[in-house]
Amino acid sequence: MARGVTRMSGLFLRTLREDPADAEVISHRLLARAGYVRRVAPGIYSWLPLGMKVLGRVEAIIRDEMDAIGAQEVHFPALLPREPYEATGRWTEYGPALFRLKDRKGADYLLGPTHEELFTLMVKGETSSYRDFPVTLYQIQNKYRDEERPRAGILRGREFVMKDSYSFDLTDEGLDASYARHREAYLRIFARLGLETQIVSAMSGAMGGSKSEEFLATAASGEDTYVRCPASGYAANVEAVTTPAPPDESVADKPGAVVYDTPDTPTIETLVDHVNGLGLANENGARTFTAADTLKNVMVKTRLPGAEEWTLLGVGVPGDREVDMKRLEASVAPADVALLEDADFAANPFLTKGYIGPVGLAKNGVRYLVDPRIVTGTAWVTGADEHGRHVVDLVAGRDFTPDGTIEAAEVREGDPSPDGGGTLVAARGIEMGHIFQLGRKYAEALGLTALGSDGKPATVTMGSYGVGVTRAVATIAEQHADDKGLVWPAEVAPYAVHIVVAGKDPAQAEVAAGIADGIAAAGLEVLLDDRKASPGVKFADAELLGMPTTVTVGRGLANGVVEVTDRASGERREVPVDDVVGEISAGLRPS
Ligand code: ATP
Ligand code: MG
């Protein structure tokens, strides 16, 4: 049998009729049932021969496109010493997601979650002057992260394969160019992988001007929610959405703040009803309040990595919005954040649960950050720091002065797009890639400088770029599957053609083998189902395994024809035996 033909009778493969019990997403169900991967522990998987083929093809595409932009491949160990990560602060900052371990002498090691430090040190060791720059390096390697919720199969592994690359430039313009090249390469990679992606901005304005974008594969099962503005094309991670602040208002024409008894108002709704029942009026007549006129003060505590103590933080948002914990987390990162528990309230008796207001927080020295909509001159209904009492017309900039703003309120469909181009709609995706202008942070921490052409040392500026390689395999399966199984795009399919010998007639087996050899000779890889199984089992497996084209050699052979099926469209046609090799080899790519 020719190279390029794999007989299923000898293939190390067992397909499953049932979904694995723990499989929540379609990629996990199908990749397990079709015998591509097996679970070893939560978030930890083994790859079987069919899975290895897809993984290999995905890696080949990534290598091809990285090489095309002049990136050079290197390889680092996954087992790493503590020191470089200590120097950048990430030994502690990375938190519980970092796998830390000790060697027999008691020295600290970690399993690399990402390799900025090592790349920086490698470049530091091998370069000295501006002549050595720019340089871009990459690797395809296992990463380790003790993810909190390793559900979703290989979409979110605790051990997974990532392509990570890093660019090193001496100038900001150089970094911009390196970043742009990666962006283009990523667009080509995802197109070749057959993935439909959306580029979203990933960095909030608060973190400075450095650029960061994510490539999200559109998928209803995606863990990432993003928003986009159909009118302007703006798209961003929910964490990165900035809230346009309305203009400041005049303080002078605002009525004075008045405290009212507000018994039995445990919710914003009951509070609004109560205030509307007070019969307040101004020169325009009766005043009506809505939830958006109330100021909700959510108490949280934050803790910097490595610190023991938690610090109180008050977060003020308009009462018609919830605090979005993911946005809050992103805003306070790298600090951790948690809601206050009963014990915290007990330890801080000035906090009158349900009636917390900005004035009480200021009096007690609690840091207070507000939503950007809460600008100077806006008047609010909010807690009066006494049980059963609220204050009306507490004016920002007059009666209280927040310590700053924070992006923590939920983003809603219909909100104005930050670019002023329209309104936002929500969508879901899977993060496939991330490109990020790191700047000089790592180079500074690890002392990576180069002698410039002017003879002065300059600190190198870096970009960091990741693609989830194992995640790509699962994401392709998410986007390309139906109720019968996987539907691989041609460039990543384990085999280009799946040949099924339908009956027991030896003539069928012989013709099928001949077709397989012919297609393989044309440079395509072929899977030949020569098993002694029923046609029904073979057809079901062919659909489950998902090769782009199936050739069935069956009863039609008596009339000199075989059946060619396109997996994606389901379209079938009869082709004369003598034409099938030529037709298929002409229509498909060489592997
Ligand atoms: P996520 O938000 O999904 O956790 P991340 O922001 O932590 O991703 P990066 O650190 O930027 O991801 O890693 C680069 C790429 O590696 C991601 O874009 C993603 O494709 C992939 N990746 C990250 N975490 C995992 C994981 N646990 N399993 C598989 N792939 C992952
Ligand atoms: Mg992550």
Side-chain angles (χ1 to χ4, degrees):
M1 177 102 341
R3 255 189 90 143
V5 179
T6 299
R7 286 178 178 268
M8 261 175 99
S9 57
L11 180 64
F12 185 66
L13 168 73
R14 165 183 277 181
T15 56
L16 310 174
R17 292 287 154 245
E18 302 290 327
D19 289 335
D22 64 326
E24 290 180 21
V25 293
I26 187 159
S27 57
H28 186 191
R29 290 210 303 271
L30 291 176
L31 290 169
R33 268 180 53 201
Y36 284 70
V37 300
R38 291 285 177 254
R39 181 179 171 279
V40 174
I44 303 179
Y45 289 82
S46 303
W47 291 74
L48 280 68
L50 286 181
M52 285 302 288
K53 283 219 170 245
V54 182
L55 195 56
R57 295 198 195 284
V58 170
E59 290 184 3
I61 290 172
I62 294 173
R63 283 202 171 86
D64 191 41
E65 296 296 345
M66 293 314 297
D67 293 346
I69 60 166
Q72 302 175 60
E73 186 168 5
V74 296
H75 196 79
F76 287 97
L79 179 62
L80 301 168
R82 169 178 177 162
E83 288 71 27
Y85 286 77
E86 189 65 57
T88 58
R90 291 213 298 175
W91 172 262
T92 31
E93 259 179 38
Y94 218 94
L98 191 67
F99 280 104
R100 300 171 179 85
L101 58 158
K102 286 193 188 295
D103 72 3
R104 64 170 75 205
K105 293 184 179 137
D108 284 321
Y109 282 79
L110 62 112
L111 296 176
T114 165
H115 279 74
E116 280 80 357
E117 287 82 352
L118 275 288
F119 275 88
T120 310
L121 288 173
M122 180 183 269
V123 170
K124 183 181 175 183
E126 310 298 323
T127 60
S128 51
S129 89
Y130 66 94
R131 289 186 204 88
D132 302 318
F133 293 88
V135 61
T136 298
L137 302 175
Y138 77 98
Q139 66 168 343
I140 294 178
Q141 195 238 20
N142 281 359
K143 302 282 189 237
Y144 297 84
R145 295 181 184 180
D146 198 356
E147 299 276 4
E148 201 177 357
R149 291 174 287 268
R151 45 172 289 274
I154 55 175
L155 281 174
R156 183 170 294 285
R158 295 199 293 163
E159 177 184 271
F160 60 97
V161 181
M162 191 200 290
K163 183 287 298 177
D164 49 332
S165 43
Y166 303 87
S167 63
F168 299 84
D169 281 276
L170 290 184
T171 62
D172 293 348
E173 299 72 48
L175 171 57
D176 282 342
S178 296
Y179 181 91
R181 272 196 296 279
H182 267 90
R183 198 175 192 273
E184 291 299 313
Y186 275 32
L187 286 170
R188 286 192 293 272
I189 288 170
F190 296 127
R192 288 176 68 181
L193 293 177
L195 286 174
E196 192 184 294
T197 52
Q198 161 87 52
I199 301 183
V200 303
S201 349
M203 184 66 64
S204 73
M207 295 192 62
S210 66
K211 253 190 162 166
S212 169
E213 288 166 298
E214 286 173 2
F215 291 71
L216 300 187
T218 51
S221 62
E223 289 185 333
D224 288 275
T225 308
Y226 67 98
V227 290
R228 60 192 184 86
C229 172
S232 69
Y234 168 90
N237 242 331
V238 170
E239 286 90 323
V241 173
T242 50
T243 308
D248 284 356
E249 294 175 24
S250 143
V251 173
D253 55 1
K254 294 285 156 22
V258 183
V259 174
Y260 293 93
D261 282 332
T262 52
D264 304 322
T265 56
T267 62
I268 294 284
E269 203 181 20
T270 49
L271 173 63
V272 168
D273 284 349
H274 186 92
V275 174
N276 280 330
L278 291 173
L280 300 180
N282 59 17
E283 64 277 12
N284 302 322
R287 292 175 69 187
T288 342
F289 295 81
T290 70
D293 299 313
T294 67
L295 174 56
K296 180 158 67 184
N297 300 303
V298 176
M299 292 307 301
V300 299
K301 51 185 177 178
T302 63
R303 186 175 63 182
L304 280 165
E308 295 271 302
E309 293 291 305
W310 290 91
T311 310
L312 290 182
L313 171 68
V315 177
V317 297
D320 61 335
R321 288 180 192 258
E322 300 300 327
V323 165
D324 176 335
M325 284 309 281
K326 276 186 116 178
R327 273 171 55 74
L328 177 58
E329 279 164 20
S331 291
V332 302
D336 276 339
V337 58
L339 290 169
L340 291 200
E341 292 153 23
D342 286 342
D344 299 307
F345 283 100
N348 295 285
F350 65 89
L351 293 174
T352 318
K353 211 173 168 179
Y355 303 92
I356 294 166
V359 176
L361 294 179
K363 253 190 223 152
N364 291 280
V366 177
R367 195 168 152 76
Y368 181 58
L369 300 175
V370 296
D371 182 82
R373 295 171 191 85
I374 298 160
V375 293
T376 296
T378 49
W380 300 94
V381 178
T382 191
D385 303 298
E386 288 174 79
H387 190 81
R389 307 192 87 190
H390 281 90
V391 55
V392 177
D393 291 322
L394 196 77
V395 172
R398 181 190 72 188
D399 305 320
F400 70 101
T401 306
D403 296 304
T405 60
I406 188 165
E407 293 289 354
E410 62 179 320
V411 175
R412 289 199 296 234
E413 286 197 282
D415 281 349
S417 175
D419 68 356
T423 52
L424 298 175
V425 296
R428 297 183 81 78
I430 300 166
E431 184 190 322
M432 278 315 312
H434 190 186
I435 55 176
F436 182 30
Q437 295 197 351
L438 268 185
R440 296 186 167 81
K441 172 178 167 190
Y442 285 85
E444 265 158 19
L446 297 164
L448 171 59
T449 59
L451 215 52
S453 52
D454 57 0
K456 291 187 194 136
T459 301
V460 170
T461 181
M462 294 168 57
S464 148
Y465 317 90
V467 172
V469 181
T470 40
R471 179 178 286 185
V473 174
T475 306
I476 297 167
E478 288 287 326
Q479 285 193 350
H480 300 274
D482 60 22
D483 52 354
K484 299 190 185 77
L486 298 158
V487 186
W488 294 112
E491 218 179 332
V492 296
Y495 296 93
V497 182
H498 187 139
I499 302 182
V500 173
V501 184
K504 296 202 179 87
D505 180 355
Q508 288 181 11
E510 199 177 310
V511 168
I515 295 171
D517 283 345
I519 296 172
L524 295 162
E525 286 200 55
V526 184
L527 184 61
L528 174 61
D529 193 349
D530 60 339
R531 295 174 301 171
K532 290 187 175 51
S534 76
V537 166
K538 290 183 174 181
F539 295 143
D541 275 348
E543 286 178 321
L544 178 61
L545 298 185
M547 304 323 145
T549 302
T550 302
V551 177
T552 306
V553 184
R555 267 190 230 117
L557 192 57
N559 306 319
V561 294
V562 294
E563 194 176 69
V564 176
T565 311
D566 181 77
R567 177 68 182 88
S569 67
E571 185 196 318
R572 297 158 188 271
R573 59 206 167 86
E574 292 196 327
V575 177
V577 175
D578 295 339
D579 298 346
V580 73
V581 170
E583 244 187 56
I584 287 181
S585 331
L588 297 178
R589 88 198 144 91
S591 53

